[in-house]
Amino acid sequence: GQNIDQPTEMTATEGAIVQINCTYQTSGFNGLFWYQQHAGEAPTFLSYNVLDGLEEKGRFSSFLSRSKGYSYLLLKELQMKDSASYLCAVRKNTGGFKTIFGAGTRLFVKA
Amino acid sequence: DTGVSQNPRHKITKRGQNVTFRCDPISEHNRLYWYRQTLGQGPEFLTYFQNEAQLEKSRLLSDRFSAERPKGSFSTLEIQRTEQGDSAMYLCASSLGQGANNEQFFGPGTRLTVL
């Protein structure tokens, strides 16, 4: 089976740094995605990690440790527009790279 | 607009009726996915196509659900004898199927309300 855990909600202040953690248990791990989803909108791609380590992309960075089944998304210099749900998703290497999503972390950025 | 499109954007139906949704993926993408999302949850995998072949279907999907992708381009998702529990956002996504990350591009979704 598979299980993806991430905090339900987080609150942070504009200009600050926030780290959203994700732990997973799955067979056939092929990679880990982070998606951003604003309320009422479709998810949009943020990052993809397949090897251990940190991937940096502008204000957003994503980290993966396959041995620990752990990832985090780091958001720097928070802006109000970053208020959204952040979805951790695991891609499996079976069945055409099926992707399993976590429930998401709702991030509230306050002034 | 060259993104993923879905129609209709909203559908209200009475319990017991059949509904059909359409998804047009990005033209060069050969993989197409259907997901269902309810409030406060992440997208839940329903089914997946590579070209016209349906390669995987979630065990959560009852026999009332069927999906097709007849020519390997657009896809339809049909729900027969709808139930109130079917009320959700139905998301379609497509990906290129090659390359390092196979990023999935999502459409805007079809919001279904079953009365």
Side-chain angles (χ1 to χ4, degrees), chain A:
Chain A
Q2 51 263 329
N3 194 42
I4 300 173
D5 290 312
Q6 49 183 133
T8 303
E9 288 186 0
M10 297 183 71
T11 300
T13 304
E14 192 176 17
I17 299 173
V18 70
Q19 177 174 312
I20 302 175
N21 296 324
C22 171
T23 58
Y24 64 89
Q25 297 171 343
T26 188
S27 56
F29 176 83
N30 187 259
L32 188 141
F33 290 95
W34 283 96
Y35 281 83
Q36 180 191 59
Q37 186 174 28
H38 285 99
E41 298 182 10
T44 55
F45 171 82
L46 289 178
S47 67
Y48 176 73
N49 293 71
V50 63
L51 300 176
D52 291 350
L54 187 68
E55 297 277 345
E56 297 185 75
K57 187 186 295 185
R59 294 190 299 116
F60 292 6
S61 302
S62 57
F63 172 84
L64 175 66
S65 169
R66 289 172 296 171
S67 62
K68 295 181 179 178
Y70 168 69
S71 174
Y72 68 72
L73 179 69
L74 193 70
L75 292 77
K76 303 175 184 176
E77 302 169 14
L78 280 174
Q79 301 175 9
M80 299 298 287
K81 67 178 182 179
D82 296 330
S83 293
S85 285
Y86 291 86
L87 301 165
C88 174
V90 169
R91 190 172 78 163
K92 298 170 66 68
N93 60 11
T94 56
F97 303 109
K98 174 179 173 179
T99 303
I100 307 298
F101 284 81
T105 298
R106 292 182 65 192
L107 174 66
F108 299 93
V109 179
K110 59 182 183 179

